[in-house]
Amino acid sequence: MSNATKFGKVAVLLGGKSAERAVSLDSGQAVLDALLRSGVQAEAFDPQDRSVTELVNYDRAFIVLHGRGGEDGQIQGVLEWLNIPYTGTGVQGSAIGMDKVKTKQIWQGSDLPTAPYRIITKETDLDSVIAELGLPVIIKPVHEGSSVGMSKVEKAEDFAAAIEKATQHDAVVMAEKWITGREFTISFLNGQPLPVIRLQPPADVAFYDYEAKYQRNDVEYGIPCGLSETEEKKLQALCLRAFQAVGAEGWGRIDAMQDEQGNFWLLEVNTVPGMTSHSLVPKAAKAVGYSFDELCVAILEQTLEGTA
């Protein structure tokens, strides 16, 4: 594939230091293999093992760093400083997208529907949280991805343990209203929504948690997603507005719910989604004819914009 030379030397950024290191190594290896099969001169680059100053030896970067350091604007800022084109969302959109509360505040300010929440601190009166959000709620660390540190709380007495679990991962913790209904994920490629996927974890799983995302093989992925064509278009349009509102670009994913009354609720944005065998963006792209290798090249091509 001779036109792969247009990319020059590509650093596939993987690993890193976040709680999602293991997933990032899997995703990064899959992307690296795909690029090499496509004739791209690509190399693995793990910032945990190497100084980021060495990135000056590359022409562009494919970011597959999940979580802090890779998805929060830090590595994007380094690459901007070094003047190296990179995949995905820029510094500001990455920083916002990694912060679940900032994301929600922007969505609320943009009149986009997102599940009600409260920030939890040691001083928070939990009774007032229950009065406001009801039970069950989901407790989340504000700056983690991949459902790390999350718990569903159904009884008031379980609050403390869930908060303790979340604070092991993050100093900032939030409680979010539990939405009963169907869970969907909407992937983006070249800034446009791909077919909606419905996520159906098995009955013994409270929500689409870390284990369901990466380790189990009994999660069902619905494509088509079971929505009517009108509803699917409505959800895609809503998620596109939400993606753009936080400044996300290129490729990414938004998770959403539909409650029992048929209303859609935005949960969170993912600016560097997983690229493993279990991952959702490759499944959505496959539904419109992209092989995994073609998807990786299409994402990398975003780094050519404005440089041709």
Side-chain angles (χ1 to χ4, degrees), residues 117-143:
Y117 70 97
R118 282 275 299 275
I119 297 173
I120 304 285
T121 66
K122 289 188 170 59
E123 287 72 47
T124 302
D125 174 12
L126 296 181
D127 290 337
S128 73
V129 174
I130 293 168
E132 186 179 332
L133 301 179
L135 284 171
V137 297
I138 187 155
I139 303 294
K140 299 179 175 182
V142 170
H143 304 97

mmCIF file of all heavy atoms in Angstrom, residues 117-143:
data_model
loop_
_atom_site.group_PDB
_atom_site.id
_atom_site.type_symbol
_atom_site.label_atom_id
_atom_site.label_comp_id
_atom_site.label_asym_id
_atom_site.label_seq_id
_atom_site.Cartn_x
_atom_site.Cartn_y
_atom_site.Cartn_z
ATOM 1 N N TYR A 117 -27.136 14.846 38.816
ATOM 2 C CA TYR A 117 -25.991 14.364 39.593
ATOM 3 C C TYR A 117 -25.710 15.314 40.745
ATOM 4 O O TYR A 117 -26.210 16.437 40.782
ATOM 5 C CB TYR A 117 -24.741 14.288 38.693
ATOM 6 C CG TYR A 117 -24.218 15.651 38.312
ATOM 7 C CD1 TYR A 117 -23.162 16.235 39.011
ATOM 8 C CD2 TYR A 117 -24.832 16.404 37.307
ATOM 9 C CE1 TYR A 117 -22.721 17.519 38.696
ATOM 10 C CE2 TYR A 117 -24.395 17.683 36.993
ATOM 11 C CZ TYR A 117 -23.339 18.235 37.697
ATOM 12 O OH TYR A 117 -22.903 19.497 37.406
ATOM 13 N N ARG A 118 -24.887 14.869 41.663
ATOM 14 C CA ARG A 118 -24.347 15.721 42.723
ATOM 15 C C ARG A 118 -22.876 15.370 42.918
ATOM 16 O O ARG A 118 -22.511 14.187 42.893
ATOM 17 C CB ARG A 118 -25.090 15.484 44.045
ATOM 18 C CG ARG A 118 -26.445 16.142 44.143
ATOM 19 C CD ARG A 118 -26.401 17.591 44.612
ATOM 20 N NE ARG A 118 -25.835 17.751 45.942
ATOM 21 C CZ ARG A 118 -26.515 17.633 47.085
ATOM 22 N NH1 ARG A 118 -27.812 17.336 47.065
ATOM 23 N NH2 ARG A 118 -25.919 17.823 48.243
ATOM 24 N N ILE A 119 -22.038 16.382 43.148
ATOM 25 C CA ILE A 119 -20.655 16.120 43.542
ATOM 26 C C ILE A 119 -20.672 15.753 45.022
ATOM 27 O O ILE A 119 -21.369 16.390 45.810
ATOM 28 C CB ILE A 119 -19.766 17.352 43.289
ATOM 29 C CG1 ILE A 119 -19.725 17.665 41.785
ATOM 30 C CG2 ILE A 119 -18.357 17.135 43.831
ATOM 31 C CD1 ILE A 119 -19.022 18.950 41.431
ATOM 32 N N ILE A 120 -19.916 14.710 45.368
ATOM 33 C CA ILE A 120 -19.895 14.221 46.743
ATOM 34 C C ILE A 120 -18.563 14.580 47.396
ATOM 35 O O ILE A 120 -17.499 14.279 46.841
ATOM 36 C CB ILE A 120 -20.045 12.677 46.769
ATOM 37 C CG1 ILE A 120 -21.315 12.227 46.047
ATOM 38 C CG2 ILE A 120 -20.015 12.149 48.202
ATOM 39 C CD1 ILE A 120 -22.584 12.456 46.772
ATOM 40 N N THR A 121 -18.622 15.209 48.559
ATOM 41 C CA THR A 121 -17.416 15.436 49.357
ATOM 42 C C THR A 121 -17.666 14.860 50.753
ATOM 43 O O THR A 121 -18.770 14.381 51.053
ATOM 44 C CB THR A 121 -17.107 16.946 49.493
ATOM 45 O OG1 THR A 121 -18.166 17.547 50.254
ATOM 46 C CG2 THR A 121 -17.002 17.624 48.136
ATOM 47 N N LYS A 122 -16.658 14.911 51.605
ATOM 48 C CA LYS A 122 -16.830 14.387 52.978
ATOM 49 C C LYS A 122 -17.915 15.147 53.727
ATOM 50 O O LYS A 122 -18.533 14.620 54.649
ATOM 51 C CB LYS A 122 -15.505 14.475 53.738
ATOM 52 C CG LYS A 122 -14.466 13.466 53.247
ATOM 53 C CD LYS A 122 -13.226 13.446 54.137
ATOM 54 C CE LYS A 122 -12.305 12.291 53.803
ATOM 55 N NZ LYS A 122 -11.820 12.308 52.417
ATOM 56 N N GLU A 123 -18.144 16.399 53.320
ATOM 57 C CA GLU A 123 -19.130 17.225 54.025
ATOM 58 C C GLU A 123 -20.558 17.028 53.488
ATOM 59 O O GLU A 123 -21.516 17.536 54.061
ATOM 60 C CB GLU A 123 -18.772 18.720 53.892
ATOM 61 C CG GLU A 123 -17.569 19.152 54.716
ATOM 62 C CD GLU A 123 -16.254 18.632 54.155
ATOM 63 O OE1 GLU A 123 -16.036 18.752 52.935
ATOM 64 O OE2 GLU A 123 -15.454 18.074 54.934
ATOM 65 N N THR A 124 -20.688 16.322 52.389
ATOM 66 C CA THR A 124 -22.005 16.199 51.743
ATOM 67 C C THR A 124 -22.995 15.462 52.644
ATOM 68 O O THR A 124 -22.682 14.414 53.211
ATOM 69 C CB THR A 124 -21.875 15.436 50.409
ATOM 70 O OG1 THR A 124 -20.964 16.133 49.569
ATOM 71 C CG2 THR A 124 -23.214 15.325 49.693
ATOM 72 N N ASP A 125 -24.188 16.019 52.758
ATOM 73 C CA ASP A 125 -25.280 15.360 53.486
ATOM 74 C C ASP A 125 -25.911 14.329 52.537
ATOM 75 O O ASP A 125 -26.607 14.690 51.585
ATOM 76 C CB ASP A 125 -26.308 16.420 53.914
ATOM 77 C CG ASP A 125 -27.535 15.792 54.553
ATOM 78 O OD1 ASP A 125 -27.498 14.583 54.873
ATOM 79 O OD2 ASP A 125 -28.543 16.506 54.721
ATOM 80 N N LEU A 126 -25.636 13.058 52.814
ATOM 81 C CA LEU A 126 -26.089 12.006 51.889
ATOM 82 C C LEU A 126 -27.615 11.897 51.848
ATOM 83 O O LEU A 126 -28.179 11.533 50.818
ATOM 84 C CB LEU A 126 -25.461 10.658 52.265
ATOM 85 C CG LEU A 126 -23.928 10.600 52.149
ATOM 86 C CD1 LEU A 126 -23.407 9.227 52.513
ATOM 87 C CD2 LEU A 126 -23.466 10.977 50.737
ATOM 88 N N ASP A 127 -28.270 12.241 52.953
ATOM 89 C CA ASP A 127 -29.741 12.206 52.941
ATOM 90 C C ASP A 127 -30.294 13.186 51.915
ATOM 91 O O ASP A 127 -31.285 12.909 51.229
ATOM 92 C CB ASP A 127 -30.296 12.549 54.332
ATOM 93 C CG ASP A 127 -30.019 11.429 55.329
ATOM 94 O OD1 ASP A 127 -29.828 10.282 54.880
ATOM 95 O OD2 ASP A 127 -29.969 11.702 56.545
ATOM 96 N N SER A 128 -29.632 14.354 51.793
ATOM 97 C CA SER A 128 -30.111 15.346 50.819
ATOM 98 C C SER A 128 -29.858 14.850 49.390
ATOM 99 O O SER A 128 -30.636 15.143 48.478
ATOM 100 C CB SER A 128 -29.440 16.702 51.041
ATOM 101 O OG SER A 128 -28.083 16.671 50.614
ATOM 102 N N VAL A 129 -28.771 14.092 49.210
ATOM 103 C CA VAL A 129 -28.493 13.520 47.889
ATOM 104 C C VAL A 129 -29.585 12.515 47.513
ATOM 105 O O VAL A 129 -30.109 12.522 46.391
ATOM 106 C CB VAL A 129 -27.105 12.829 47.861
ATOM 107 C CG1 VAL A 129 -26.883 12.112 46.534
ATOM 108 C CG2 VAL A 129 -26.002 13.852 48.102
ATOM 109 N N ILE A 130 -29.938 11.662 48.481
ATOM 110 C CA ILE A 130 -30.988 10.656 48.224
ATOM 111 C C ILE A 130 -32.320 11.348 47.959
ATOM 112 O O ILE A 130 -33.074 10.967 47.058
ATOM 113 C CB ILE A 130 -31.092 9.677 49.409
ATOM 114 C CG1 ILE A 130 -29.800 8.838 49.500
ATOM 115 C CG2 ILE A 130 -32.313 8.761 49.259
ATOM 116 C CD1 ILE A 130 -29.648 8.048 50.784
ATOM 117 N N ALA A 131 -32.600 12.414 48.727
ATOM 118 C CA ALA A 131 -33.857 13.158 48.531
ATOM 119 C C ALA A 131 -33.911 13.757 47.128
ATOM 120 O O ALA A 131 -34.965 13.785 46.489
ATOM 121 C CB ALA A 131 -33.982 14.246 49.587
ATOM 122 N N GLU A 132 -32.751 14.217 46.645
ATOM 123 C CA GLU A 132 -32.717 14.892 45.346
ATOM 124 C C GLU A 132 -32.693 13.899 44.176
ATOM 125 O O GLU A 132 -33.398 14.078 43.181
ATOM 126 C CB GLU A 132 -31.469 15.783 45.268
ATOM 127 C CG GLU A 132 -31.411 16.648 44.023
ATOM 128 C CD GLU A 132 -30.170 17.533 44.008
ATOM 129 O OE1 GLU A 132 -29.657 17.889 45.089
ATOM 130 O OE2 GLU A 132 -29.729 17.875 42.901
ATOM 131 N N LEU A 133 -31.854 12.852 44.289
ATOM 132 C CA LEU A 133 -31.654 11.946 43.154
ATOM 133 C C LEU A 133 -32.461 10.658 43.256
ATOM 134 O O LEU A 133 -32.638 9.958 42.268
ATOM 135 C CB LEU A 133 -30.162 11.572 43.032
ATOM 136 C CG LEU A 133 -29.168 12.715 42.826
ATOM 137 C CD1 LEU A 133 -27.752 12.169 42.749
ATOM 138 C CD2 LEU A 133 -29.503 13.519 41.571
ATOM 139 N N GLY A 134 -32.940 10.341 44.459
ATOM 140 C CA GLY A 134 -33.621 9.071 44.671
ATOM 141 C C GLY A 134 -32.618 7.925 44.734
ATOM 142 O O GLY A 134 -31.417 8.125 44.647
ATOM 143 N N LEU A 135 -33.117 6.725 44.904
ATOM 144 C CA LEU A 135 -32.297 5.511 44.850
ATOM 145 C C LEU A 135 -32.891 4.592 43.799
ATOM 146 O O LEU A 135 -34.104 4.597 43.587
ATOM 147 C CB LEU A 135 -32.299 4.813 46.221
ATOM 148 C CG LEU A 135 -31.427 5.452 47.311
ATOM 149 C CD1 LEU A 135 -31.704 4.794 48.669
ATOM 150 C CD2 LEU A 135 -29.949 5.356 46.973
ATOM 151 N N PRO A 136 -32.084 3.778 43.130
ATOM 152 C CA PRO A 136 -30.626 3.714 43.239
ATOM 153 C C PRO A 136 -29.922 4.897 42.561
ATOM 154 O O PRO A 136 -30.529 5.629 41.790
ATOM 155 C CB PRO A 136 -30.293 2.406 42.510
ATOM 156 C CG PRO A 136 -31.428 2.161 41.574
ATOM 157 C CD PRO A 136 -32.630 2.800 42.187
ATOM 158 N N VAL A 137 -28.625 5.059 42.915
ATOM 159 C CA VAL A 137 -27.748 5.996 42.217
ATOM 160 C C VAL A 137 -26.508 5.228 41.792
ATOM 161 O O VAL A 137 -26.287 4.098 42.222
ATOM 162 C CB VAL A 137 -27.313 7.191 43.106
ATOM 163 C CG1 VAL A 137 -28.502 8.031 43.523
ATOM 164 C CG2 VAL A 137 -26.517 6.719 44.315
ATOM 165 N N ILE A 138 -25.715 5.846 40.931
ATOM 166 C CA ILE A 138 -24.422 5.266 40.590
ATOM 167 C C ILE A 138 -23.349 6.237 41.072
ATOM 168 O O ILE A 138 -23.468 7.446 40.893
ATOM 169 C CB ILE A 138 -24.315 4.934 39.087
ATOM 170 C CG1 ILE A 138 -23.029 4.167 38.801
ATOM 171 C CG2 ILE A 138 -24.456 6.150 38.208
ATOM 172 C CD1 ILE A 138 -23.088 3.302 37.550
ATOM 173 N N ILE A 139 -22.350 5.696 41.753
ATOM 174 C CA ILE A 139 -21.238 6.502 42.278
ATOM 175 C C ILE A 139 -20.068 6.348 41.311
ATOM 176 O O ILE A 139 -19.696 5.234 40.950
ATOM 177 C CB ILE A 139 -20.827 6.030 43.693
ATOM 178 C CG1 ILE A 139 -22.020 6.091 44.656
ATOM 179 C CG2 ILE A 139 -19.651 6.850 44.219
ATOM 180 C CD1 ILE A 139 -22.530 7.478 44.956
ATOM 181 N N LYS A 140 -19.485 7.487 40.904
ATOM 182 C CA LYS A 140 -18.415 7.456 39.900
ATOM 183 C C LYS A 140 -17.259 8.367 40.319
ATOM 184 O O LYS A 140 -17.501 9.481 40.779
ATOM 185 C CB LYS A 140 -18.918 7.992 38.549
ATOM 186 C CG LYS A 140 -20.061 7.246 37.909
ATOM 187 C CD LYS A 140 -20.453 7.933 36.596
ATOM 188 C CE LYS A 140 -21.528 7.156 35.853
ATOM 189 N NZ LYS A 140 -21.885 7.802 34.558
ATOM 190 N N PRO A 141 -16.018 7.920 40.098
ATOM 191 C CA PRO A 141 -14.914 8.882 40.136
ATOM 192 C C PRO A 141 -15.077 9.826 38.942
ATOM 193 O O PRO A 141 -15.448 9.387 37.854
ATOM 194 C CB PRO A 141 -13.658 8.013 39.963
ATOM 195 C CG PRO A 141 -14.108 6.598 40.071
ATOM 196 C CD PRO A 141 -15.561 6.568 39.745
ATOM 197 N N VAL A 142 -14.810 11.106 39.136
ATOM 198 C CA VAL A 142 -15.086 12.088 38.085
ATOM 199 C C VAL A 142 -14.075 12.028 36.943
ATOM 200 O O VAL A 142 -14.397 12.323 35.799
ATOM 201 C CB VAL A 142 -15.159 13.504 38.709
ATOM 202 C CG1 VAL A 142 -15.199 14.596 37.642
ATOM 203 C CG2 VAL A 142 -16.406 13.606 39.586
ATOM 204 N N HIS A 143 -12.837 11.597 37.239
ATOM 205 C CA HIS A 143 -11.777 11.647 36.215
ATOM 206 C C HIS A 143 -11.262 10.280 35.795
ATOM 207 O O HIS A 143 -10.105 10.139 35.452
ATOM 208 C CB HIS A 143 -10.591 12.484 36.721
ATOM 209 C CG HIS A 143 -10.965 13.864 37.124
ATOM 210 N ND1 HIS A 143 -11.213 14.221 38.428
ATOM 211 C CD2 HIS A 143 -11.158 14.985 36.391
ATOM 212 C CE1 HIS A 143 -11.535 15.503 38.489
ATOM 213 N NE2 HIS A 143 -11.509 15.997 37.267
#
